[in-house]
């Protein structure tokens, strides 16, 4: 099923000159991973401390875009500049789920948002990423199947943050948007698990 993740290779091509410059200046993949996590936690704190405030909400799409760029760069540094490490693999996976939790759980505090739906969406996001990692444990490749991966979640929450910043606070709208995200997250878990098993069986 289609997902924004499929655009990753084109995005990486645009960032490759930046990646080369960072590598030449001694920046490591793990440093970039930690920078992305720190940025996410900082923005999450703003969203948590100032729920519904204009500045944190309008900054969210920008922060998510920068995070996406940093996530692409750390992977390229690891693969293309001989920086792969066990620590990097751990930081990469944990950083993603911690960043998602930090950035998205504050939406549950908003009075016009159904908090349990947002919490459920974050929980399913974590399970979805864990399912992708479990694929490696059974001998398949790390699964990134859609339709609702990390980049798609970022697009949803970035859009919602933008709309909320400009005063669109209709509860029904966010029930529909986050509810759709919840359903698509469940489908993603199923697709990743099924794809991992099929890959293993066909090997």
């Amino acid at each position: 099923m289609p997902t924004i993740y499929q655009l990753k290779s084109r995005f990486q091509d645009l960032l490759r000159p930046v990646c080369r410059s960072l590598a030449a200046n001694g920046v490591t993949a793990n440093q970039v991973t930690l920078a992305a996590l720190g940025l996410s936690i900082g923005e999450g704190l703003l969203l948590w401390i100032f729920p519904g405030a204009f500045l944190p909400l309008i900054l969210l799409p920008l922060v998510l875009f920068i995070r996406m760029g940093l996530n692409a760069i750390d992977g390229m540094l690891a693969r293309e500049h001989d920086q792969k490490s066990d620590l990097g693999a751990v930081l990469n996976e944990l950083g993603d789920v911690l960043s998602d939790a930090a950035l998205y759980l504050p939406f549950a505090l908003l009075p016009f948002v159904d908090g349990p739906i947002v919490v459920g969406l974050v929980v399913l996001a974590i399970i979805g990423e864990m399912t992708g990692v479990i694929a490696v444990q059974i001998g398949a490749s790390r699964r990134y199947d859609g339709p609702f991966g990390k980049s798609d979640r970022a697009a949803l929450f970035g859009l919602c943050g933008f709309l909320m910043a400009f005063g669109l606070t209709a509860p029904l709208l966010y029930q529909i948007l986050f509810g759709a995200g919840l359903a698509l997250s469940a489908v993603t878990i199923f697709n990743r698990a099924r794809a991992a098993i099929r890959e293993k069986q066909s090997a």
Side-chain angles (χ1 to χ4, degrees):
M1 301 180 85
T3 172
I4 294 175
Y5 182 78
Q6 293 171 342
L7 301 175
K8 183 178 180 180
S9 61
R10 295 180 184 178
F11 190 46
Q12 287 177 331
D13 289 340
L14 294 174
L15 293 173
R16 191 158 278 110
V18 177
C19 182
R20 290 172 183 153
S21 177
L22 291 173
N25 284 280
V27 177
T28 69
N30 289 351
Q31 289 171 340
V32 175
T33 302
L34 291 173
L37 177 58
L39 176 68
S40 300
I41 291 174
E43 169 67 6
L45 286 173
L46 288 177
L47 291 167
W48 196 282
I49 296 170
F50 306 105
F54 175 80
L55 185 59
L57 288 171
I58 202 63
L59 282 176
L60 181 61
L62 177 61
V63 168
L64 289 169
F65 184 76
I66 294 173
R67 176 196 168 196
M68 190 182 305
L70 293 174
N71 285 339
I73 288 171
D74 69 4
M76 287 190 291
L77 284 170
R79 290 188 307 273
E80 300 173 9
H81 296 273
D82 196 27
Q83 296 186 16
K84 284 187 177 181
S85 67
D86 293 339
L87 175 60
V90 172
L91 288 177
N92 186 60
E93 295 295 348
L94 288 179
D96 280 345
V97 295
L98 289 173
S99 293
D100 275 8
L103 288 167
Y104 305 151
L105 283 177
F107 279 81
L109 297 175
L110 300 173
F112 50 86
V113 171
D114 191 326
I117 292 181
V118 172
V119 173
L121 180 48
V122 172
V123 170
L124 289 188
I126 294 171
I127 295 173
E129 296 309 314
M130 185 177 70
T131 305
V133 174
I134 289 173
V136 178
Q137 186 177 357
I138 67 171
S141 60
R142 171 62 160 95
R143 301 305 310 183
Y144 295 99
D145 306 84
F148 204 66
K150 178 176 63 177
S151 300
D152 307 285
R153 287 192 297 275
L156 172 63
F157 279 93
L159 171 64
C160 290
F162 180 83
L163 295 176
M164 292 172 185
F166 288 98
L168 189 53
T169 58
L172 180 59
L173 172 64
Y174 298 109
Q175 282 186 335
I176 293 172
L177 290 174
F178 290 132
L182 192 70
L184 291 172
S185 295
V187 174
T188 298
I189 294 168
F190 175 79
N191 285 344
R192 291 183 178 183
R194 180 178 61 178
I197 293 170
R198 286 181 174 176
E199 181 184 345
K200 175 62 176 176
Q201 289 175 342
S202 64

